[in-house]
Amino acid sequence: MTRSSLRQDGEELVSTVPGPDSHPLRYRIEDGIVLLLSPEQLSDAVAAGSDQHDAGATDAPSDATTFAAATSPAATPPMSSKEPRR
């Protein structure tokens, strides 16, 4: 939100510039993962049931699946003998 640098303070990252309420923003670190949510978003996420966390999910393949398909050997046409070797 502040676009400032963050510094670690125990199990939190803290903004180096005050937020909208004139206090530094604090982001929790849980299991090595920084929760970059505003306090309101975090409380909404915690209060939501597990069936609500994937409300925006679709059946589209993930970026990793798309990348794997695009880079698989089957997706790459063989070089012709006329192409220069690299």
Side-chain angles (χ1 to χ4, degrees):
M1 288 180 68
T2 63
R3 300 193 186 276
S4 69
S5 299
L6 300 173
R7 63 176 171 76
Q8 188 164 356
D9 182 15
E11 288 297 312
E12 294 181 319
L13 290 183
V14 181
S15 66
T16 56
V17 173
D21 65 353
S22 300
H23 291 78
L25 299 175
R26 303 181 83 77
Y27 301 101
R28 291 190 340 215
I29 302 172
E30 290 185 8
D31 297 324
I33 299 170
V34 181
L35 303 176
L36 293 174
L37 297 172
S38 69
E40 298 81 26
Q41 291 171 319
L42 188 56
S43 63
D44 289 346
V46 169
S50 62
D51 61 329
Q52 294 176 328
H53 288 285
D54 293 330
T58 66
D59 291 334
S62 69
D63 289 340
T65 304
T66 305
F67 176 78
T71 58
S72 71
T76 306
M79 286 180 49
S80 73
S81 59
K82 295 179 183 178
E83 291 182 21
R85 294 196 176 250
R86 295 178 200 184

